Each structure stands twice: as C-alpha cells, then as structure tokens.
Amino acid sequence: MSDTPKILVTGALGQIGSELVTELRNRFGTEQVIASDLRAPPDDYNENGSFEQLDVLKPDQILAINEKYGINQIYHLAAILSAVGEQKPQLAWNVNMNGLLNILEIVKNGDVQKLFWPSSIAVFGPTTPRNDTEQFAITEPTTVYGISKLAGERWVEYYHDKYDLDIRSVRYPGLISYKTKAGGGTTDYAVEIFAAAIREGSYTCFLNSDTVLPMMYMPDAINGTLDLMEADEKDLQIRSSYNFNAFSFSPNQLAALIKNHIPGFTIEYAPDFRQKLADTWPQTIDDKYAREDWKWEQQFDLESMVSDMLDKTKLKLLESVE
Ligand code: NAD
Ligand code: AKB
C-alpha cells in the first residue's frame, strides 16, 4: 500500500459520507480525499477539496475519476436505503447491486488497494433470533434493501477469496447524527426526533413506541470504520461484513431521555409501512468479532449520545437561522 492514500468516497453527500469525508480529510489531508455523489453539492456545501459528480452505475465515470486522481482507496457508500428501497425496489437493487459490482470490477482490474463497503443489520430477517443476534445467525431478509446487502456481503467475500482483494465491511446499525438528514431508512426517526424536539417540542414517530432497534452515534461509526480500515489484515477473520453495534433502544425510551433535557417534550405514534421492516430486524446485536479482531469499542452510550445530539442539533439550528 502506498503511504499516501488517495481516497474516493461515493455517495459522499449522504448521512455518513458528509461526516466521513471531513474526518478522512482531517486525518489524511484535504486534497487526498475526493468526494463524489450522483447529486450536485447543495448551496450550503462548505467542504473544501475536490468534488466530482459521479453515478456509480456508470463504470466509465468511476474509471475516469480513478485515473484522474490516482485513487488507491475507495469508500463506496452510494446506495438506496430500506424505506426508499421498498418504494422503489428495482432502483434499490440496481444501485445497491450493480453499483457495488462496478466498484468491485474496478478494484479488481486497477490500482485500488483497499475498499470499504457498508452492509447493514437489514441482512437479518424474521427468522433470525432477535436478541444478541450473532455474526453467523440466519440471514433471510425480506426487504429489497436487506436482500441487496446480503448479496453484497456474498460478493465482497467472493472477490476477497477469489481475487485476493482487501475489502472491509461492517453491518451498520441505525446511525444517529445531526449534520445531514437521514437518507430514507427505517431508523431515521432516531435522527428526526432531535430537531423536532428542539423546534416544536413534539414528534410524531413512524414506529411503534416499543420497537427496539440497534443504533450507534455517528462519531463512533466513523471512528470504528476508520479503525477497521487501519487494522492489520491478518487480524480480520470476517471477510463478508462484521456485526457492529453500540446500544439499542425503543422510541419511548429515547423520548424519555429527551424529556430529561426538554421536560415539555411530547411524542405521538403513527406507525406506517416502516414498522413492518423494523419488525423483521434484530433488537440487539452481538458484535464480539469486531471487538476481538480490531478492538472495536464505542465512546458514546445512550445517555451521552442524547445529550451530545441535543447540544449539537441546537447549535446547528441556531447557525441555520443566522
Ligand atoms: P444516504 O442515503 O444518506 O446517502 C447515500 C448517497 O448515495 C446519497 O447522497 C445519494 O445521492 C447517493 N447516490 C444514490 N444513488 C447514487 C448513484 N447511482 N451514484 C452515486 N451516488 C448515488 O445513505 P447513508 O446513510 O449515508 O448510507 C451510506 C451507506 O451506509 C449505504 O450503503 C447504506 O446502506 C449504509 N448504511 C447506512 C446506515 C445508516 O443508518 N445511515 C445503516 C446501515 C448501513
Ligand atoms: C435503514 O434504516 O435503512 C438504515 C439501515 C439500518 O441500514 N439506517
């Protein structure tokens, strides 16, 4: 591996990419990281450094950018998430599957030495044990998103085994952050609720009050991802995707914690089609391989996440009215 990574991030304007790009640039230098997305950057995009409009369904575009910048690492984040995926199943399969296969072929045939591609807890399904779900638990997803992530896991392991490519992956739980809106998933309520609590003092939740799901705060997700990418390859025994977890909670537990900071906060429940998706996913995850192999350990527990999210969301809302 060259000492100087030259990194391409696909889907860089999304919930994860918008924070990952900043952290990669902090660590490796602004010009070492090329952000890309299908969309053009919004007017208030304030990242310095190169940005390229890139459709991962167009291999020629990926190739041209790789050659232009001499890319040697890729973080392939472009995808359609679970809720949008149920509304646009063909699109979700196309972007999630063919986008990944295009990237895998480019890694196989070119100079990219390391690839990160995220999977999800959505690889699990209604036949999976829902508590302390193990790495090798049954994976029979019933959502298009989950099916595409499971197929992706099989493909990345195949490309590692057959072509000796260094591909690393985690099954992210629901990620909570304040910088960018969540991108159309089933766990998005746990992002939206904070701004609603501060702005309106109330929130209508699209999941039932007692729907427990695994979650993680974005700073931990970013640090964990970069720790995995820095780990010694010989320590990595999972070449599909690692179970990766921080904590689990239900909407009513989250609301109670928010109420400790905003006493008048109220929550109502109006479950929609996303409830059915959430009901098929694990409640708690056993991520012992991540903890053993690359020493994964989160910094934020549920209480400290809530407190930090409220502080940071308040600041962000203040900045946006200034
Ligand atoms: P997001 O929806 O916020 O962002 C995805 C980005 O991909 C968007 O900016 C979109 O414009 C872009 N995109 C869509 N189609 C594209 C195409 N054809 N070419 C290029 N870009 C395209 O998603 P996210 O939350 O940032 O998730 C990133 C990755 O992490 C995805 O693979 C997702 O499945 C995975 N993941 C996310 C979570 C989470 O809670 N955020 C949890 C599990 C897994
Ligand atoms: C979603 O809800 O689709 C994502 C995920 C858990 O993969 N947040």
Side-chain angles (χ1 to χ4, degrees), residues 10-18 36-39 54-58 61 76-82 91 95-96 99 116-122 145 149 170-176 180-185 187-188 191 215-216 218:
T10 72
L13 295 178
Q15 191 195 1
I16 301 176
S18 55
S36 73
D37 203 287
L38 182 65
R39 297 181 279 147
L54 164 65
D55 182 350
V56 295
L57 295 176
K58 303 207 167 120
Q61 287 185 3
H76 174 46
L77 305 179
I80 304 295
L81 275 72
S82 60
L91 176 73
V95 173
N96 297 2
F116 175 80
W117 166 81
S119 183
S120 161
I121 54 164
Y145 175 68
K149 288 294 182 189
V170 291
R171 292 170 173 158
Y172 285 128
L175 299 182
I176 301 163
T180 310
K181 277 189 179 167
T187 57
D188 291 11
V191 174
M215 302 273 186
M216 184 181 290
M218 189 63 85

Side-chain angles (χ1 to χ4, degrees), residues 124 133-139 154 157 171 237-238 240 243 289:
F124 298 114
T133 303
E134 292 178 357
Q135 178 69 39
F136 299 107
I138 296 168
T139 42
R154 298 292 89 228
E157 191 174 75
R171 292 170 173 158
Q237 53 184 315
I238 306 295
S240 52
N243 273 10
Y289 287 95

Side-chain angles (χ1 to χ4, degrees), residues 75-293:
Y75 288 75
H76 174 46
L77 305 179
I80 304 295
L81 275 72
S82 60
V84 176
E86 287 313 287
Q87 286 154 341
K88 299 175 182 171
Q90 297 293 334
L91 176 73
W93 180 257
N94 194 17
V95 173
N96 297 2
M97 216 62 281
N98 293 321
L100 174 60
L101 286 170
N102 288 340
I103 296 280
L104 286 170
E105 278 298 294
I106 279 168
V107 175
K108 185 183 109 192
N109 297 321
D111 298 327
V112 175
Q113 292 150 348
K114 252 188 207 176
L115 167 64
F116 175 80
W117 166 81
S119 183
S120 161
I121 54 164
V123 293
F124 298 114
T127 53
T128 310
R130 296 189 72 200
N131 285 299
D132 291 330
T133 303
E134 292 178 357
Q135 178 69 39
F136 299 107
I138 296 168
T139 42
E140 293 185 325
T142 49
T143 62
V144 171
Y145 175 68
I147 297 169
S148 72
K149 288 294 182 189
L150 180 58
E153 288 191 7
R154 298 292 89 228
W155 276 117
V156 300
E157 191 174 75
Y158 181 87
Y159 271 74
H160 168 265
D161 293 351
K162 185 147 182 163
Y163 305 115
D164 200 23
L165 303 187
D166 189 0
I167 310 165
R168 304 180 182 205
S169 177
V170 291
R171 292 170 173 158
Y172 285 128
L175 299 182
I176 301 163
S177 65
Y178 57 88
K179 287 194 181 153
T180 310
K181 277 189 179 167
T186 304
T187 57
D188 291 11
Y189 89 85
V191 174
E192 297 167 359
I193 192 171
F194 287 93
I198 293 163
R199 264 196 314 240
E200 286 108 41
S202 65
Y203 178 66
T204 303
C205 183
F206 58 75
L207 297 182
N208 276 327
S209 64
D210 58 354
T211 306
V212 174
L213 288 169
M215 302 273 186
M216 184 181 290
Y217 195 26
M218 189 63 85
D220 279 329
I222 300 291
N223 287 332
T225 300
L226 297 182
D227 286 350
L228 171 63
M229 287 297 271
E230 294 294 312
D232 194 329
E233 205 181 353
K234 73 173 171 19
D235 294 330
L236 305 179
Q237 53 184 315
I238 306 295
R239 300 311 307 225
S240 52
S241 188
Y242 277 93
N243 273 10
F244 183 52
N245 192 39
F247 38 69
S248 292
F249 56 80
S250 63
N252 65 11
Q253 286 167 326
L254 181 59
L257 287 168
I258 292 175
K259 244 176 136 98
N260 290 340
H261 297 261
I262 305 175
F265 174 63
T266 57
I267 184 163
E268 285 176 26
Y269 297 95
D272 65 15
F273 73 99
R274 289 169 278 194
Q275 183 64 46
K276 217 170 134 195
L277 279 63
D279 286 341
T280 69
W281 291 353
Q283 298 189 319
T284 57
I285 297 277
D286 173 356
D287 59 359
K288 73 168 184 188
Y289 287 95
R291 291 179 192 269
E292 283 169 15
D293 289 5

